Amino acid sequence: MTANRRFTKSDGAANGSSLPTLDDVRKGLISLDDYEIAHGEDVPAFGDDGDATILSLQETPALGAVLEKARGKRGPQKAPVKERIGLRLDKDVVDYFRSMGPGWQGRINDALHALGPADEEQRPVAARCDDEFLYVVLVDGRQIRTPLWWYPFLAEASAEARANVELQFSGVWWPGLDEGVSVKGLLLGWKAPGARAPGRAA
């Protein structure tokens, strides 16, 4: 018997010889694969000719799940993490982000997200205007005073329109003017587009 000769149980029965032993494997008379086949212990992943063993997906549910995912079957729908809203932005802001190319809307989202969530201690509890300044009081007792000319929409508005104010978690809004300011913007000294100091040429 040579190493290329497959030894099976039927061989043993026909020849009246015993099954191959590990000593036969050590002597090179038979391969370990043929030894296992002869003893009924071999369950190869691939046959001698390279043919893959056929597995039932019912018997291997984990494999089935992997194959289903690989061919594009979707799992349970995840809750959306973004909300579609209508948002009015200044033209120069939109033009700036559009100039960056495709994905500009996502970059606006990233820029807003970078500002961070509003701090509870920065929540406004009062706001008023006079002819020179905007005053905003925060929940922690701080009072912010900014020049009214920083916000042309307020400087040019009537006293009645300025008095119609809504306090939001992160800023102040004037519904009649469809404009507002954020507390973060107040703290950072952001001026509204078109702001010009009194007496300065436009």
Side-chain angles (χ1 to χ4, degrees):
M1 180 170 59
T2 65
N4 293 327
R5 171 75 170 89
R6 174 167 295 191
F7 195 112
T8 65
K9 288 183 179 180
S10 60
D11 290 331
N15 300 330
S17 60
S18 61
L19 292 173
T21 66
L22 290 175
D23 189 53
D24 294 328
V25 175
R26 284 191 291 271
K27 292 178 181 178
L29 299 176
I30 188 172
S31 69
L32 181 60
D33 287 342
D34 287 338
Y35 169 87
E36 292 176 340
I37 290 173
H39 287 264
E41 300 171 356
D42 184 64
V43 186
F46 291 89
D48 291 341
D49 297 328
D51 296 327
T53 301
I54 298 175
L55 299 177
S56 168
L57 295 182
Q58 285 75 22
E59 297 173 353
T60 56
L63 176 61
V66 172
L67 294 177
E68 288 292 340
K69 183 176 182 179
R71 72 181 186 184
K73 183 175 180 180
R74 297 181 64 185
Q77 179 63 46
K78 295 181 179 179
V81 295
K82 293 184 178 179
E83 180 180 355
R84 182 182 295 276
I85 63 171
L87 184 64
R88 299 179 62 185
L89 301 173
D90 292 324
K91 185 177 183 302
D92 58 340
V93 173
V94 175
D95 290 344
Y96 171 76
F97 282 96
R98 274 183 172 159
S99 69
M100 298 180 184
W104 61 274
Q105 292 168 313
R107 282 188 284 274
I108 291 178
N109 180 80
D110 294 342
L112 294 173
H113 194 273
L115 294 176
D119 190 330
E120 168 61 25
E121 294 183 351
Q122 296 179 4
R123 179 169 57 85
V125 294
R128 66 180 181 87
C129 296
D130 59 23
D131 290 336
E132 295 185 65
F133 297 99
L134 165 65
Y135 305 88
V136 178
V137 180
L138 306 183
V139 70
D140 63 2
R142 284 178 291 174
Q143 177 172 280
I144 306 170
R145 188 185 74 168
T146 56
L148 205 63
W149 64 263
W150 282 17
Y151 316 105
F153 63 89
L154 286 177
E156 298 168 3
S158 66
E160 182 181 4
R162 295 174 189 167
N164 181 20
V165 60
E166 292 181 1
L167 301 176
Q168 301 179 341
F169 185 81
S170 58
V172 183
W173 183 257
W174 289 267
L177 303 174
D178 197 22
E179 295 282 3
V181 296
S182 69
V183 171
K184 189 176 291 290
L186 293 170
L187 293 172
L188 294 176
W190 292 348
K191 302 177 182 66
R196 295 287 186 276
R200 181 178 298 179

